Amino acid sequence: MKISILKDSSLIRESMLNALRESFVNDTILTYYSRDYSALLQEETQSDLVIIDLNSQVEILSIIDYFKDRKMKIIVWTSSLNDTSLLELFKLDLNGYFFNGMEKEELASAITTIRNGGKYIHTELANLLLEDYVQVHTKESIRPVALFTEREWEVLELLTEGRKNEQICRILCVTQKTVKNHVSSILRKLDVPDRTNAVLTALRNNWFYV
């Protein structure tokens, strides 16, 4: 297997390079700096696996797209948990997410896992991903006090679900006339012309999540 590393000069770079060469003696390990990364994109130097340091002075997402199109295994390496690109990179479902401080054994084990078809996310980064997941899935609605009655909130919530008046009648066990009155009241209080705009207003203000 041929492994390429895109990372500028540093003690961590040399340590990682030495660890890889010791752990994968039968593989070819190639290294590139930001200034000569274009050589990494040449067909004759294509690798099976590439490690990209997020601090490299290159267009990271473009390079990742390039390698994904060529079915290469991709690992990103970060030295900061505050890197704003991390959450977007998680969505790309890459093969590995490495973090500074990995010991030789962990590094070798992680790459072996990836070579065998698995994925590896460093513990620190996994915690970051979990925190983001929890935040996304535990959003709390923020609703203005005294804007609607409790029943009007129920009707508006059903409207955001795409329910028609007949369905709302059955769910709330009220008459169609009552539902129409609630809808009219909601439109008047929001100063919107129709139920579609009422729903858009509710979602835009995070009163409900769909």
Side-chain angles (χ1 to χ4, degrees):
M1 175 178 274
K2 185 186 292 184
I3 301 173
S4 288
I5 303 170
L6 176 58
K7 186 174 178 65
D8 290 326
S9 182
S10 69
L11 291 176
I12 292 176
R13 181 181 189 269
E14 298 309 311
S15 176
M16 176 172 60
L17 183 58
N18 291 334
L20 291 177
R21 285 174 173 163
E22 291 177 13
S23 300
F24 304 101
V25 293
N26 295 319
D27 294 332
T28 301
I29 313 293
L30 302 174
T31 57
Y32 299 87
Y33 297 104
S34 295
R35 64 176 180 270
D36 62 1
Y37 83 95
S38 57
L40 179 60
L41 308 182
Q42 297 174 11
E43 292 295 335
E44 60 269 21
T45 61
Q46 293 291 284
S47 299
D48 304 287
L49 184 151
V50 60
I51 302 173
I52 304 171
D53 179 15
L54 296 184
N55 286 328
S56 300
Q57 302 303 305
V58 297
E59 180 51 55
I60 300 293
L61 293 179
S62 295
I63 291 179
I64 288 175
D65 286 341
Y66 177 88
F67 291 137
K68 288 190 76 171
D69 288 342
R70 285 155 180 77
K71 311 301 181 185
M72 293 170 59
K73 296 184 183 300
I74 303 170
I75 297 169
V76 290
W77 183 297
T78 182
S79 59
S80 172
L81 295 177
N82 297 318
D83 191 317
T84 57
S85 67
L86 278 173
L87 295 180
E88 288 303 314
L89 289 171
F90 281 136
K91 297 177 184 178
L92 297 180
D93 192 29
L94 304 180
N95 303 93
Y97 298 85
F98 289 5
F99 185 63
N100 274 9
M102 294 175 69
E103 298 293 337
K104 173 184 173 182
E105 293 75 16
E106 181 184 8
L107 181 63
S109 175
I111 290 181
T112 299
T113 296
I114 292 169
R115 291 174 64 167
N116 292 334
K119 295 182 183 294
Y120 182 88
I121 302 178
H122 189 277
T123 304
E124 294 289 344
L125 301 180
N127 290 336
L128 179 66
L129 180 59
L130 178 60
E131 288 175 6
D132 180 64
Y133 177 88
V134 170
Q135 289 178 3
V136 168
H137 290 81
T138 58
K139 291 180 177 178
E140 294 184 0
S141 301
I142 304 174
R143 301 175 185 174
V145 177
L147 177 59
F148 298 127
T149 65
E150 183 176 347
R151 181 62 85 183
E152 286 171 347
W153 279 117
E154 292 174 344
V155 171
L156 183 55
E157 181 175 14
L158 292 170
L159 291 179
T160 65
E161 296 175 1
R163 307 282 189 175
K164 298 187 180 300
N165 283 2
E166 295 80 3
Q167 295 173 303
I168 297 175
C169 290
R170 291 194 297 272
I171 293 171
L172 299 181
C173 298
V174 295
T175 65
Q176 286 204 39
K177 181 179 179 181
T178 299
V179 171
K180 289 180 180 179
N181 288 339
H182 286 315
V183 172
S184 296
S185 177
I186 290 170
L187 300 184
R188 184 177 66 258
K189 290 178 178 180
L190 292 179
D191 192 23
V192 294
D194 51 47
R195 57 205 292 152
T196 298
N197 278 279
V199 169
L200 290 175
T201 299
L203 297 179
R204 187 165 53 247
N205 287 286
N206 299 324
W207 295 343
F208 303 99
Y209 292 98
V210 296

PDB file of all heavy atoms in Angstrom, residues 177-193:
ATOM      1  N   LYS A 177     -65.636  24.043  12.503  1.00  0.00           N
ATOM      2  CA  LYS A 177     -65.830  25.465  12.744  1.00  0.00           C
ATOM      3  C   LYS A 177     -64.851  25.968  13.798  1.00  0.00           C
ATOM      4  O   LYS A 177     -64.267  27.061  13.665  1.00  0.00           O
ATOM      5  CB  LYS A 177     -67.266  25.732  13.197  1.00  0.00           C
ATOM      6  CG  LYS A 177     -67.552  27.205  13.451  1.00  0.00           C
ATOM      7  CD  LYS A 177     -68.987  27.429  13.880  1.00  0.00           C
ATOM      8  CE  LYS A 177     -69.232  28.916  14.148  1.00  0.00           C
ATOM      9  NZ  LYS A 177     -70.632  29.168  14.592  1.00  0.00           N
ATOM     10  N   THR A 178     -64.653  25.163  14.837  1.00  0.00           N
ATOM     11  CA  THR A 178     -63.712  25.544  15.900  1.00  0.00           C
ATOM     12  C   THR A 178     -62.295  25.642  15.352  1.00  0.00           C
ATOM     13  O   THR A 178     -61.552  26.577  15.672  1.00  0.00           O
ATOM     14  CB  THR A 178     -63.761  24.523  17.052  1.00  0.00           C
ATOM     15  OG1 THR A 178     -65.080  24.504  17.607  1.00  0.00           O
ATOM     16  CG2 THR A 178     -62.765  24.883  18.143  1.00  0.00           C
ATOM     17  N   VAL A 179     -61.922  24.677  14.513  1.00  0.00           N
ATOM     18  CA  VAL A 179     -60.576  24.692  13.920  1.00  0.00           C
ATOM     19  C   VAL A 179     -60.391  25.933  13.063  1.00  0.00           C
ATOM     20  O   VAL A 179     -59.369  26.618  13.134  1.00  0.00           O
ATOM     21  CB  VAL A 179     -60.332  23.421  13.080  1.00  0.00           C
ATOM     22  CG1 VAL A 179     -59.012  23.546  12.294  1.00  0.00           C
ATOM     23  CG2 VAL A 179     -60.288  22.192  13.966  1.00  0.00           C
ATOM     24  N   LYS A 180     -61.398  26.235  12.240  1.00  0.00           N
ATOM     25  CA  LYS A 180     -61.322  27.421  11.373  1.00  0.00           C
ATOM     26  C   LYS A 180     -61.165  28.693  12.199  1.00  0.00           C
ATOM     27  O   LYS A 180     -60.408  29.598  11.831  1.00  0.00           O
ATOM     28  CB  LYS A 180     -62.559  27.505  10.495  1.00  0.00           C
ATOM     29  CG  LYS A 180     -62.620  26.437   9.400  1.00  0.00           C
ATOM     30  CD  LYS A 180     -63.885  26.576   8.569  1.00  0.00           C
ATOM     31  CE  LYS A 180     -63.940  25.502   7.476  1.00  0.00           C
ATOM     32  NZ  LYS A 180     -65.190  25.601   6.672  1.00  0.00           N
ATOM     33  N   ASN A 181     -61.881  28.746  13.318  1.00  0.00           N
ATOM     34  CA  ASN A 181     -61.777  29.922  14.191  1.00  0.00           C
ATOM     35  C   ASN A 181     -60.363  30.059  14.768  1.00  0.00           C
ATOM     36  O   ASN A 181     -59.812  31.157  14.853  1.00  0.00           O
ATOM     37  CB  ASN A 181     -62.798  29.832  15.328  1.00  0.00           C
ATOM     38  CG  ASN A 181     -64.219  30.062  14.847  1.00  0.00           C
ATOM     39  OD1 ASN A 181     -64.442  30.659  13.791  1.00  0.00           O
ATOM     40  ND2 ASN A 181     -65.193  29.582  15.612  1.00  0.00           N
ATOM     41  N   HIS A 182     -59.787  28.920  15.162  1.00  0.00           N
ATOM     42  CA  HIS A 182     -58.423  28.940  15.709  1.00  0.00           C
ATOM     43  C   HIS A 182     -57.427  29.377  14.633  1.00  0.00           C
ATOM     44  O   HIS A 182     -56.519  30.183  14.903  1.00  0.00           O
ATOM     45  CB  HIS A 182     -58.038  27.569  16.253  1.00  0.00           C
ATOM     46  CG  HIS A 182     -58.698  27.219  17.551  1.00  0.00           C
ATOM     47  ND1 HIS A 182     -58.787  28.101  18.603  1.00  0.00           N
ATOM     48  CD2 HIS A 182     -59.299  26.059  17.974  1.00  0.00           C
ATOM     49  CE1 HIS A 182     -59.410  27.521  19.625  1.00  0.00           C
ATOM     50  NE2 HIS A 182     -59.738  26.278  19.257  1.00  0.00           N
ATOM     51  N   VAL A 183     -57.582  28.835  13.441  1.00  0.00           N
ATOM     52  CA  VAL A 183     -56.673  29.193  12.344  1.00  0.00           C
ATOM     53  C   VAL A 183     -56.772  30.676  12.033  1.00  0.00           C
ATOM     54  O   VAL A 183     -55.761  31.370  11.860  1.00  0.00           O
ATOM     55  CB  VAL A 183     -56.965  28.346  11.083  1.00  0.00           C
ATOM     56  CG1 VAL A 183     -56.148  28.872   9.897  1.00  0.00           C
ATOM     57  CG2 VAL A 183     -56.643  26.875  11.326  1.00  0.00           C
ATOM     58  N   SER A 184     -58.008  31.188  11.968  1.00  0.00           N
ATOM     59  CA  SER A 184     -58.210  32.616  11.694  1.00  0.00           C
ATOM     60  C   SER A 184     -57.553  33.473  12.767  1.00  0.00           C
ATOM     61  O   SER A 184     -56.930  34.509  12.470  1.00  0.00           O
ATOM     62  CB  SER A 184     -59.708  32.929  11.624  1.00  0.00           C
ATOM     63  OG  SER A 184     -60.309  32.256  10.541  1.00  0.00           O
ATOM     64  N   SER A 185     -57.675  33.043  14.014  1.00  0.00           N
ATOM     65  CA  SER A 185     -57.070  33.784  15.120  1.00  0.00           C
ATOM     66  C   SER A 185     -55.546  33.780  15.014  1.00  0.00           C
ATOM     67  O   SER A 185     -54.895  34.800  15.252  1.00  0.00           O
ATOM     68  CB  SER A 185     -57.503  33.174  16.453  1.00  0.00           C
ATOM     69  OG  SER A 185     -56.884  33.833  17.539  1.00  0.00           O
ATOM     70  N   ILE A 186     -54.993  32.639  14.639  1.00  0.00           N
ATOM     71  CA  ILE A 186     -53.540  32.518  14.479  1.00  0.00           C
ATOM     72  C   ILE A 186     -53.043  33.447  13.379  1.00  0.00           C
ATOM     73  O   ILE A 186     -52.050  34.171  13.543  1.00  0.00           O
ATOM     74  CB  ILE A 186     -53.151  31.054  14.158  1.00  0.00           C
ATOM     75  CG1 ILE A 186     -53.381  30.167  15.391  1.00  0.00           C
ATOM     76  CG2 ILE A 186     -51.697  30.960  13.710  1.00  0.00           C
ATOM     77  CD1 ILE A 186     -53.270  28.678  15.105  1.00  0.00           C
ATOM     78  N   LEU A 187     -53.754  33.462  12.238  1.00  0.00           N
ATOM     79  CA  LEU A 187     -53.354  34.313  11.116  1.00  0.00           C
ATOM     80  C   LEU A 187     -53.421  35.785  11.502  1.00  0.00           C
ATOM     81  O   LEU A 187     -52.537  36.578  11.144  1.00  0.00           O
ATOM     82  CB  LEU A 187     -54.250  34.054   9.904  1.00  0.00           C
ATOM     83  CG  LEU A 187     -54.257  32.631   9.332  1.00  0.00           C
ATOM     84  CD1 LEU A 187     -55.116  32.563   8.072  1.00  0.00           C
ATOM     85  CD2 LEU A 187     -52.848  32.144   9.042  1.00  0.00           C
ATOM     86  N   ARG A 188     -54.459  36.136  12.249  1.00  0.00           N
ATOM     87  CA  ARG A 188     -54.631  37.531  12.660  1.00  0.00           C
ATOM     88  C   ARG A 188     -53.518  37.957  13.615  1.00  0.00           C
ATOM     89  O   ARG A 188     -52.944  39.043  13.483  1.00  0.00           O
ATOM     90  CB  ARG A 188     -55.993  37.701  13.339  1.00  0.00           C
ATOM     91  CG  ARG A 188     -56.305  39.154  13.728  1.00  0.00           C
ATOM     92  CD  ARG A 188     -57.685  39.303  14.341  1.00  0.00           C
ATOM     93  NE  ARG A 188     -57.804  38.625  15.636  1.00  0.00           N
ATOM     94  CZ  ARG A 188     -58.405  37.450  15.818  1.00  0.00           C
ATOM     95  NH1 ARG A 188     -58.964  36.804  14.804  1.00  0.00           N
ATOM     96  NH2 ARG A 188     -58.453  36.906  17.026  1.00  0.00           N
ATOM     97  N   LYS A 189     -53.195  37.119  14.570  1.00  0.00           N
ATOM     98  CA  LYS A 189     -52.168  37.456  15.560  1.00  0.00           C
ATOM     99  C   LYS A 189     -50.767  37.537  14.932  1.00  0.00           C
ATOM    100  O   LYS A 189     -49.921  38.317  15.377  1.00  0.00           O
ATOM    101  CB  LYS A 189     -52.176  36.443  16.698  1.00  0.00           C
ATOM    102  CG  LYS A 189     -53.419  36.537  17.585  1.00  0.00           C
ATOM    103  CD  LYS A 189     -53.411  35.490  18.682  1.00  0.00           C
ATOM    104  CE  LYS A 189     -54.635  35.616  19.588  1.00  0.00           C
ATOM    105  NZ  LYS A 189     -54.660  34.600  20.662  1.00  0.00           N
ATOM    106  N   LEU A 190     -50.540  36.729  13.916  1.00  0.00           N
ATOM    107  CA  LEU A 190     -49.240  36.746  13.246  1.00  0.00           C
ATOM    108  C   LEU A 190     -49.193  37.771  12.117  1.00  0.00           C
ATOM    109  O   LEU A 190     -48.125  38.041  11.556  1.00  0.00           O
ATOM    110  CB  LEU A 190     -48.905  35.352  12.684  1.00  0.00           C
ATOM    111  CG  LEU A 190     -48.627  34.244  13.690  1.00  0.00           C
ATOM    112  CD1 LEU A 190     -48.329  32.934  12.971  1.00  0.00           C
ATOM    113  CD2 LEU A 190     -47.462  34.621  14.598  1.00  0.00           C
ATOM    114  N   ASP A 191     -50.364  38.277  11.773  1.00  0.00           N
ATOM    115  CA  ASP A 191     -50.475  39.243  10.677  1.00  0.00           C
ATOM    116  C   ASP A 191     -49.922  38.658   9.372  1.00  0.00           C
ATOM    117  O   ASP A 191     -49.114  39.265   8.667  1.00  0.00           O
ATOM    118  CB  ASP A 191     -49.732  40.540  11.017  1.00  0.00           C
ATOM    119  CG  ASP A 191     -50.075  41.667  10.042  1.00  0.00           C
ATOM    120  OD1 ASP A 191     -51.152  41.606   9.421  1.00  0.00           O
ATOM    121  OD2 ASP A 191     -49.255  42.601   9.894  1.00  0.00           O
ATOM    122  N   VAL A 192     -50.394  37.447   9.079  1.00  0.00           N
ATOM    123  CA  VAL A 192     -50.004  36.774   7.835  1.00  0.00           C
ATOM    124  C   VAL A 192     -51.265  36.434   7.050  1.00  0.00           C
ATOM    125  O   VAL A 192     -52.344  36.263   7.624  1.00  0.00           O
ATOM    126  CB  VAL A 192     -49.184  35.499   8.118  1.00  0.00           C
ATOM    127  CG1 VAL A 192     -47.843  35.849   8.761  1.00  0.00           C
ATOM    128  CG2 VAL A 192     -49.953  34.530   8.999  1.00  0.00           C
ATOM    129  N   PRO A 193     -51.154  36.304   5.713  1.00  0.00           N
ATOM    130  CA  PRO A 193     -52.341  36.107   4.880  1.00  0.00           C
ATOM    131  C   PRO A 193     -52.897  34.689   4.844  1.00  0.00           C
ATOM    132  O   PRO A 193     -54.062  34.481   4.518  1.00  0.00           O
ATOM    133  CB  PRO A 193     -51.872  36.533   3.488  1.00  0.00           C
ATOM    134  CG  PRO A 193     -50.401  36.223   3.500  1.00  0.00           C
ATOM    135  CD  PRO A 193     -49.949  36.532   4.898  1.00  0.00           C
TER     136      PRO A 193
END
